[in-house]
Amino acid sequence: MKKELINIAIVDDHQIIIDGIVALLNNHATIKIMFSTTSPLALIDFLKKNNNGIDIVITDILMPNMNGLLLAKTIRQEFPAIKIIALSMNGEGLIVNSLIEDSNISGYILKNTGKTELITAIEKISAGGIHFSEEVLIELTKFRKVKEEEIRLTHREIEIVKLIEKEYSNTKIAKTLFISERTVETHRKNIFRKTQTNNVIGLIKYAYLHNLIQ
Amino acid sequence: MKKELINIAIVDDHQIIIDGIVALLNNHATIKIMFSTTSPLALIDFLKKNNNGIDIVITDILMPNMNGLLLAKTIRQEFPAIKIIALSMNGEGLIVNSLIEDSNISGYILKNTGKTELITAIEKISAGGIHFSEEVLIELTKFRKVKEEEIRLTHREIEIVKLIEKEYSNTKIAKTLFISERTVETHRKNIFRKTQTNNVIGLIKYAYLHNLIQ
DNA sequence: TATAAAATACCCTTATGCGGGTATTTTATA
DNA sequence: TATAAAATACCCGCATAAGGGTATTTTATA
């Protein structure tokens, strides 16, 4: 027995985007918006209390508090039948990758694509398919290549990167970690080698890019 | 003779937000959306060719190509009768301030506010009033305080900051700008003094924070 | 056109970073 | 418990950054 309506829940920390999506999707006969919220936790609560037929969750992936990534993982674990569409401002390489690898999302669309693509995505995904914005696919292949060559930093190394980012000198890092300045220098050298950088600026950019900091 | 309809044009680089706003405003009897585009330049073109009664322009303020700030200034100069509502993801202190000081915008609303506030804002502004989201007002007073202590970097200094961020050494910066390495060192010293930093990392963080880069 | 601001350039010294090594001890893990 | 990985620590040396000055020329702007 096939369901007629596609039931949707929306999470986005920008109320106006929710209002917008609601307004434009409600005109479609096959789509029904059951729930919308600015709080990912509120969605989880809703699903737990009242999981009456939500098919697809549309979620922003850059939200404060609990980010879209965590939300996607939670939904995946607790409500595996629900499909997820990530909605994003841009194709953030790292997040895209995490979402697809760890959360098994079904779709990823950028906010700069129009309502037509959104509806197409919803219908494809509801039918069991997947949908990714073209830009996302491009970003993804770019990122995958980088990742293969990526060497992981050790805990100690990450610790030191964080102190470098806090503008600590080698001397201060040594004092903070109760180790010799020579050791700090060694770690620093290894970090540069692994990250393929050769100065602090390159390193800090790498750290921000790979989310080593924050 | 009072006009019944409020004629609106929308600029936002995210098509989905345009679709959303269009969808939710078109239900209102007093509001008519005359034009919408992802390109600020397209709006200027439209206004020049066909300035038939646009009352309010709703514009995103963080757009590529020509930013909302420039758009606001242009509209102010060339079509002073048109009122501007800035639409933003967050209350970016610097931009908020510039918009209000230099562009005389009539309203500033955040995207995390709902459709009710948007409509209220439009109606208030159409009647000759102003409307700012509460968060924006808070951000504004905070920023005003900071700004008093803030010293502006010169064009040359910003140029050099950008090269530092590109991991250029003083020697390379000197060669790139066809100036002496001594001059670069002087600029660097002045930059550190002005930004109240004392190493490249602090400087780069400052630059990112104050949007000197990109 | 007078004045201020910006851009240019030099002097000096000390501190720190960065790159090349090698080597030992500690901690995981197969 | 054997082996690898990680963390520790030292050597040397050069290059560069950073902090303290002063001073001239160029460019805006009132």
Side-chain angles (χ1 to χ4, degrees), chain A residues 154 156 180 182-183 187:
Chain A
T154 67
R156 199 55 154 179
S180 159
R182 304 292 145 264
T183 309
H187 281 308

Side-chain angles (χ1 to χ4, degrees), chain A residues 127-192:
Chain A
I130 56 167
H131 182 91
F132 294 91
S133 286
E134 204 176 329
E135 295 97 320
V136 174
L137 293 173
I138 293 163
E139 191 66 27
L140 198 59
T141 52
K142 252 196 285 177
F143 179 71
R144 285 262 162 93
K145 274 179 203 154
V146 175
K147 208 194 171 185
E148 280 160 24
E149 293 134 32
E150 193 191 43
I151 303 129
R152 260 210 331 287
L153 297 182
T154 67
H155 289 293
R156 199 55 154 179
E157 285 162 353
I158 290 170
E159 212 174 348
I160 285 167
V161 171
K162 283 180 179 168
L163 293 178
I164 292 173
E165 194 269 343
K166 281 168 91 177
E167 298 171 50
Y168 281 33
S169 66
N170 287 355
T171 319
K172 201 172 174 190
I173 292 171
K175 280 175 187 161
T176 306
L177 300 178
F178 303 104
I179 55 176
S180 159
E181 205 176 324
R182 304 292 145 264
T183 309
V184 178
E185 282 166 4
T186 305
H187 281 308
R188 216 176 166 119
K189 270 186 289 191
N190 292 333
I191 291 164
F192 282 142

Side-chain angles (χ1 to χ4, degrees), chain B residues 154 156 180 182-183 187:
Chain B
T154 66
R156 198 54 154 178
S180 159
R182 304 293 145 262
T183 309
H187 282 307

Side-chain angles (χ1 to χ4, degrees), chain A residues 112-129:
Chain A
N112 66 359
T113 53
K115 76 185 233 188
T116 317
E117 186 173 341
L118 179 59
I119 291 164
T120 310
I122 290 170
E123 283 170 349
K124 270 170 70 182
I125 288 164
S126 171

Side-chain angles (χ1 to χ4, degrees), chain B residues 5-130:
Chain B
L5 282 174
I6 303 168
N7 294 321
I8 290 183
I10 301 171
V11 195
D12 197 302
D13 63 327
H14 299 293
Q15 184 61 47
I16 212 163
I17 288 174
I18 293 177
D19 290 346
I21 294 172
V22 169
L24 66 88
L25 290 185
N26 266 344
N27 296 334
H28 277 258
T30 55
I31 295 168
K32 191 181 178 192
I33 291 151
M34 305 280 282
F35 183 75
S36 73
T37 176
T38 54
S39 156
L41 293 171
L43 174 68
I44 298 291
D45 278 353
F46 173 79
L47 292 176
K48 277 183 181 162
K49 280 181 197 152
N50 194 7
N51 184 9
N52 50 0
I54 291 290
D55 300 301
I56 297 176
V57 168
I58 298 176
T59 175
D60 189 10
I61 62 159
L62 277 184
M63 290 180 288
N65 310 322
M66 181 185 179
N67 61 42
L69 188 57
L70 253 172
L71 177 66
K73 281 183 189 169
T74 309
I75 291 174
R76 183 76 195 157
Q77 280 165 16
E78 306 205 19
F79 314 98
I82 297 178
K83 298 191 178 71
I84 300 161
I85 297 177
L87 195 64
S88 168
M89 279 298 161
N90 43 55
E92 300 95 350
L94 279 158
I95 295 168
V96 174
N97 199 64
S98 303
L99 274 170
I100 292 168
E101 286 196 342
D102 304 336
S103 316
N104 271 55
I105 63 159
S106 305
Y108 192 112
I109 68 163
L110 297 180
K111 284 180 183 169
N112 67 358
T113 53
K115 77 184 232 188
T116 317
E117 186 175 339
L118 179 59
I119 290 164
T120 309
I122 290 170
E123 284 170 349
K124 269 170 70 182
I125 288 165
S126 171
I130 57 166

